Amino acid sequence: MRTAFGKVKTRLAAGIGSTVAVGTAALYSIFGAGPPAPVAQYAAGSQIDAGQWHVVPQRAWVSRQKVYDVPLKPGQQALVLEVDLSNRTRMSTRDYSKLFSLQPIPGIPLEQPLVAQVRDPQLGPLLHPGLGERVAFVWRVPDSATPPEALKVDVVAKTFKPIDNLYGTPGWFNPAVVGQMTLPLEALATPSATPPGAAEQGS
């Protein structure tokens, strides 16, 4: 009797599981859900259109001293990402602080990067329409942390809306990952020389 009851329970559980699986598959089909599509992969020198910005990644390196006017406290080192940015909009802007999102690195707490101009070192430079500028995104991390062999960074782009549903004004909204950059991380490198022609680059 117990054996028969156990078989009934097993069949009932299997039937419920199959029903749930079929129902889930049907929901994914109906609503068009599914695994996220793989994002584009980029390396140094790639041309990337990211909403407001045209991006050309240059190199990534480690520094243990002040770099491009970004100070380091005792016990800190910096992971530095150098890119050429061109402002594709009609207005000067500093809206680039969340353009790149460093992928999690085991054992290393990450904060928002500081952004510095390379040509004439200053923090948070105002970037003008149609003009290219080489900038450095600097993540300050503990000096005891072991940097990875490569820096993996998500590229986050916004979309222009003539009229936003919430604010009723034009602007750039809805940030989304549009690609991933992977650059080898140079150990204890030095700052770049002034990039020739960076300020004359267009979009």
mmCIF file of all heavy atoms in Angstrom, residues 3-4 6 15 30-31 40 43 58 60 66 86 120-121 134 137 146 151 159 185 201:
data_model
loop_
_atom_site.group_PDB
_atom_site.id
_atom_site.type_symbol
_atom_site.label_atom_id
_atom_site.label_comp_id
_atom_site.label_asym_id
_atom_site.label_seq_id
_atom_site.Cartn_x
_atom_site.Cartn_y
_atom_site.Cartn_z
ATOM 1 N N THR A 3 3.954 1.388 -0.947
ATOM 2 C CA THR A 3 4.687 1.459 -2.216
ATOM 3 C C THR A 3 3.822 2.089 -3.305
ATOM 4 O O THR A 3 4.277 2.946 -4.067
ATOM 5 C CB THR A 3 5.128 0.053 -2.653
ATOM 6 O OG1 THR A 3 5.935 -0.511 -1.633
ATOM 7 C CG2 THR A 3 5.907 0.118 -3.968
ATOM 8 N N ALA A 4 2.557 1.680 -3.351
ATOM 9 C CA ALA A 4 1.636 2.233 -4.352
ATOM 10 C C ALA A 4 1.427 3.717 -4.127
ATOM 11 O O ALA A 4 1.405 4.521 -5.070
ATOM 12 C CB ALA A 4 0.295 1.496 -4.294
ATOM 13 N N GLY A 6 3.519 5.767 -2.710
ATOM 14 C CA GLY A 6 4.754 6.460 -3.086
ATOM 15 C C GLY A 6 4.846 6.679 -4.576
ATOM 16 O O GLY A 6 5.290 7.732 -5.050
ATOM 17 N N GLY A 15 4.265 15.196 -12.805
ATOM 18 C CA GLY A 15 3.273 15.881 -13.626
ATOM 19 C C GLY A 15 3.232 17.363 -13.354
ATOM 20 O O GLY A 15 3.154 18.175 -14.277
ATOM 21 N N ILE A 30 5.147 33.795 -25.289
ATOM 22 C CA ILE A 30 4.124 34.815 -25.443
ATOM 23 C C ILE A 30 4.706 36.214 -25.299
ATOM 24 O O ILE A 30 4.448 37.116 -26.084
ATOM 25 C CB ILE A 30 2.993 34.594 -24.411
ATOM 26 C CG1 ILE A 30 2.230 33.303 -24.746
ATOM 27 C CG2 ILE A 30 2.032 35.776 -24.393
ATOM 28 C CD1 ILE A 30 1.236 32.892 -23.684
ATOM 29 N N PHE A 31 5.524 36.396 -24.272
ATOM 30 C CA PHE A 31 6.024 37.732 -23.971
ATOM 31 C C PHE A 31 7.376 38.026 -24.604
ATOM 32 O O PHE A 31 7.961 39.072 -24.375
ATOM 33 C CB PHE A 31 6.106 37.922 -22.454
ATOM 34 C CG PHE A 31 4.755 37.912 -21.784
ATOM 35 C CD1 PHE A 31 4.318 36.806 -21.076
ATOM 36 C CD2 PHE A 31 3.912 39.005 -21.891
ATOM 37 C CE1 PHE A 31 3.069 36.796 -20.474
ATOM 38 C CE2 PHE A 31 2.666 39.010 -21.289
ATOM 39 C CZ PHE A 31 2.234 37.895 -20.575
ATOM 40 N N ALA A 40 27.971 43.348 -27.773
ATOM 41 C CA ALA A 40 29.148 43.474 -28.633
ATOM 42 C C ALA A 40 30.415 43.538 -27.790
ATOM 43 O O ALA A 40 30.425 44.099 -26.689
ATOM 44 C CB ALA A 40 29.020 44.721 -29.490
ATOM 45 N N ALA A 43 37.761 45.942 -28.248
ATOM 46 C CA ALA A 43 39.153 45.966 -27.784
ATOM 47 C C ALA A 43 39.708 47.363 -28.018
ATOM 48 O O ALA A 43 39.013 48.267 -28.507
ATOM 49 C CB ALA A 43 39.973 44.921 -28.535
ATOM 50 N N GLN A 58 41.643 53.167 -25.530
ATOM 51 C CA GLN A 58 43.065 53.210 -25.850
ATOM 52 C C GLN A 58 43.889 52.193 -25.060
ATOM 53 O O GLN A 58 44.510 51.327 -25.638
ATOM 54 C CB GLN A 58 43.606 54.625 -25.612
ATOM 55 C CG GLN A 58 42.998 55.673 -26.524
ATOM 56 C CD GLN A 58 43.313 55.425 -27.990
ATOM 57 O OE1 GLN A 58 44.356 54.882 -28.326
ATOM 58 N NE2 GLN A 58 42.398 55.813 -28.870
ATOM 59 N N ALA A 60 44.618 50.364 -20.747
ATOM 60 C CA ALA A 60 44.315 50.279 -19.320
ATOM 61 C C ALA A 60 45.601 49.960 -18.579
ATOM 62 O O ALA A 60 46.417 49.167 -19.052
ATOM 63 C CB ALA A 60 43.265 49.198 -19.063
ATOM 64 N N LYS A 66 49.872 59.619 -7.947
ATOM 65 C CA LYS A 66 48.897 60.557 -8.501
ATOM 66 C C LYS A 66 48.931 60.502 -10.028
ATOM 67 O O LYS A 66 49.994 60.535 -10.643
ATOM 68 C CB LYS A 66 49.233 61.970 -8.019
ATOM 69 C CG LYS A 66 48.288 63.041 -8.500
ATOM 70 C CD LYS A 66 48.674 64.386 -7.899
ATOM 71 C CE LYS A 66 47.752 65.497 -8.347
ATOM 72 N NZ LYS A 66 48.127 66.813 -7.752
ATOM 73 N N SER A 86 34.228 61.615 -27.927
ATOM 74 C CA SER A 86 33.725 62.712 -28.747
ATOM 75 C C SER A 86 32.261 62.931 -28.401
ATOM 76 O O SER A 86 31.460 61.986 -28.417
ATOM 77 C CB SER A 86 33.861 62.395 -30.240
ATOM 78 O OG SER A 86 35.219 62.333 -30.624
ATOM 79 N N ASP A 120 45.347 68.260 -20.677
ATOM 80 C CA ASP A 120 45.588 69.311 -19.698
ATOM 81 C C ASP A 120 44.925 68.843 -18.409
ATOM 82 O O ASP A 120 43.762 69.163 -18.164
ATOM 83 C CB ASP A 120 44.980 70.636 -20.188
ATOM 84 C CG ASP A 120 45.180 71.765 -19.198
ATOM 85 O OD1 ASP A 120 46.084 71.650 -18.341
ATOM 86 O OD2 ASP A 120 44.429 72.759 -19.269
ATOM 87 N N PRO A 121 45.634 68.046 -17.597
ATOM 88 C CA PRO A 121 44.996 67.333 -16.489
ATOM 89 C C PRO A 121 44.092 68.204 -15.620
ATOM 90 O O PRO A 121 44.516 69.215 -15.065
ATOM 91 C CB PRO A 121 46.191 66.804 -15.693
ATOM 92 C CG PRO A 121 47.254 66.614 -16.713
ATOM 93 C CD PRO A 121 47.085 67.768 -17.665
ATOM 94 N N ARG A 134 40.919 63.049 -25.069
ATOM 95 C CA ARG A 134 41.311 61.837 -24.350
ATOM 96 C C ARG A 134 41.151 62.064 -22.853
ATOM 97 O O ARG A 134 41.637 63.051 -22.305
ATOM 98 C CB ARG A 134 42.758 61.429 -24.659
ATOM 99 C CG ARG A 134 43.145 60.097 -23.982
ATOM 100 C CD ARG A 134 44.400 59.495 -24.583
ATOM 101 N NE ARG A 134 44.198 59.195 -25.997
ATOM 102 C CZ ARG A 134 45.131 58.635 -26.772
ATOM 103 N NH1 ARG A 134 46.318 58.329 -26.267
ATOM 104 N NH2 ARG A 134 44.873 58.395 -28.044
ATOM 105 N N PHE A 137 39.465 57.366 -16.976
ATOM 106 C CA PHE A 137 38.556 56.948 -15.919
ATOM 107 C C PHE A 137 39.396 56.205 -14.886
ATOM 108 O O PHE A 137 40.066 55.216 -15.221
ATOM 109 C CB PHE A 137 37.456 56.051 -16.474
ATOM 110 C CG PHE A 137 36.423 56.792 -17.278
ATOM 111 C CD1 PHE A 137 36.730 57.298 -18.543
ATOM 112 C CD2 PHE A 137 35.139 56.993 -16.781
ATOM 113 C CE1 PHE A 137 35.788 57.990 -19.284
ATOM 114 C CE2 PHE A 137 34.188 57.683 -17.517
ATOM 115 C CZ PHE A 137 34.509 58.187 -18.774
ATOM 116 N N THR A 146 45.030 42.508 -5.715
ATOM 117 C CA THR A 146 45.766 42.055 -6.894
ATOM 118 C C THR A 146 44.972 42.413 -8.152
ATOM 119 O O THR A 146 43.870 41.894 -8.366
ATOM 120 C CB THR A 146 45.986 40.533 -6.859
ATOM 121 O OG1 THR A 146 46.708 40.187 -5.674
ATOM 122 C CG2 THR A 146 46.756 40.070 -8.088
ATOM 123 N N LEU A 151 41.193 44.414 -17.925
ATOM 124 C CA LEU A 151 40.110 45.234 -17.399
ATOM 125 C C LEU A 151 38.876 45.004 -18.278
ATOM 126 O O LEU A 151 38.914 45.231 -19.483
ATOM 127 C CB LEU A 151 40.518 46.701 -17.412
ATOM 128 C CG LEU A 151 39.932 47.619 -16.333
ATOM 129 C CD1 LEU A 151 40.293 47.111 -14.943
ATOM 130 C CD2 LEU A 151 40.424 49.036 -16.532
ATOM 131 N N THR A 159 19.559 56.775 -24.347
ATOM 132 C CA THR A 159 18.784 57.005 -25.563
ATOM 133 C C THR A 159 18.145 58.392 -25.518
ATOM 134 O O THR A 159 17.622 58.793 -24.473
ATOM 135 C CB THR A 159 17.676 55.938 -25.705
ATOM 136 O OG1 THR A 159 18.280 54.637 -25.734
ATOM 137 C CG2 THR A 159 16.879 56.154 -26.988
ATOM 138 N N LEU A 185 45.616 44.810 -18.854
ATOM 139 C CA LEU A 185 45.980 45.787 -17.829
ATOM 140 C C LEU A 185 47.492 45.836 -17.692
ATOM 141 O O LEU A 185 48.127 44.868 -17.261
ATOM 142 C CB LEU A 185 45.329 45.398 -16.499
ATOM 143 C CG LEU A 185 45.253 46.457 -15.413
ATOM 144 C CD1 LEU A 185 44.455 47.668 -15.878
ATOM 145 C CD2 LEU A 185 44.633 45.881 -14.147
ATOM 146 N N GLN A 201 39.609 65.641 -32.938
ATOM 147 C CA GLN A 201 38.824 64.532 -33.424
ATOM 148 C C GLN A 201 37.368 64.927 -33.503
ATOM 149 O O GLN A 201 36.849 65.603 -32.631
ATOM 150 C CB GLN A 201 38.972 63.315 -32.514
ATOM 151 C CG GLN A 201 40.374 62.730 -32.508
ATOM 152 C CD GLN A 201 40.479 61.609 -31.517
ATOM 153 O OE1 GLN A 201 39.508 61.220 -30.897
ATOM 154 N NE2 GLN A 201 41.679 61.081 -31.335
#
